[in-house]
Amino acid sequence: MTAVRAHRRGGPQELVVETVALPPLGPDEVLVAVHAVAITFTELEWDESWTHAPVIPGHEFSGVVEATGADVSTAEVGDPVFGLIRFDRQGAAADYVAVPARDISRKPESLSHTETAALPLAGLTAWQGLFDLAKVQPGERVLVLGGGWWCRCVRCAARQTCRGVRRRDGTRSGCLICG
């Protein structure tokens, strides 16, 4: 298969396209045919990315399940999925990626693979900001202003009994109120 790899730390200038073997598939893993991948611009510098070398970047991905390990019961061949790969593993900037089945979710039907590949890290950041750091509880009010990963805050908080706010003209305000 074809993969993008880096043999040493640095930026995009360190990336090369190479032919590599298909990743081995463990009993609790799925093999995903990658349709889209997101590469965080600094991940080639993170210590977690360099527990192995050379490294395949791109830990946010979207694709279709190509094969499942013997112990996988939560995904089937042909399922459209997305996920966030742990940073001590090879990434998804390749034709295929092997990833634990517990680290994938079904791709939203309303989004393209490209849009879906951009969700995992922003969603995790939003969740951590709201619930791990701010410790938002049901019944509390949260005001979210702005775009970027804050948009994911709206989705995360909405799953925890919050509601969005609309402007008088009916458009979304970018705000969220919980409680």
Side-chain angles (χ1 to χ4, degrees), residues 19 28 33 48 54 75 79 81 97-98 103 130-131 136 146 154 158 170 172-173:
T19 300
D28 65 339
E48 295 87 353
D79 285 350
V81 297
V97 65
D103 292 347
L130 284 170
F131 303 110
V136 172
V154 172
R172 292 183 183 171
S173 68

Side-chain angles (χ1 to χ4, degrees), residues 10 22 24 26 43-44 48 58 63 67 93 113 125 131 151 165 170:
L22 275 173
E43 76 177 75
L44 293 176
E48 295 87 353
H113 282 287
T125 301
F131 303 110
C151 292
V165 176

Side-chain angles (χ1 to χ4, degrees), residues 4-172:
V4 173
R5 299 200 307 177
H7 291 265
R8 61 179 177 265
R9 287 179 191 249
Q13 71 279 2
E14 300 300 332
L15 297 175
V16 294
V17 177
E18 298 178 334
T19 300
V20 300
L22 275 173
L25 185 61
D28 65 339
E29 296 180 332
V30 294
L31 183 67
V32 176
V34 177
H35 287 233
V37 63
I39 299 175
T40 303
F41 71 95
T42 57
E43 76 177 75
L44 293 176
E45 300 170 5
W46 298 343
D47 289 343
E48 295 87 353
S49 297
W50 289 97
T51 58
H52 48 274
V55 63
I56 298 175
H59 289 78
E60 299 171 89
F61 70 94
S62 182
V64 175
V65 175
E66 189 78 15
T68 62
D71 296 342
V72 174
S73 61
T74 57
E76 295 180 9
V77 171
D79 285 350
V81 297
F82 75 109
L84 177 64
I85 301 167
R86 295 171 192 173
F87 288 99
D88 62 350
R89 294 177 62 103
Q90 293 289 1
D95 293 328
Y96 298 92
V97 65
V99 62
R102 69 180 175 274
D103 292 347
I104 62 168
S105 292
R106 187 128 180 122
K107 182 184 96 44
E109 290 182 20
S110 62
L111 298 178
S112 70
H113 282 287
T114 303
E115 292 165 327
T116 303
L119 293 177
L121 196 54
L124 177 61
T125 301
W127 187 271
Q128 289 172 328
L130 284 170
F131 303 110
D132 294 347
L133 297 174
K135 303 205 184 304
V136 172
Q137 299 295 314
E140 293 184 319
R141 293 178 179 247
V142 176
L143 175 63
V144 178
L145 300 171
W149 69 268
W150 286 103
C151 292
R152 295 304 306 155
C153 285
V154 172
R155 296 263 186 186
C156 289
R159 293 190 69 164
Q160 300 294 322
T161 68
C162 301
R163 65 186 189 279
V165 176
R166 294 198 176 264
R167 295 185 179 119
R168 288 183 195 169
D169 65 4
T171 62
R172 292 183 183 171

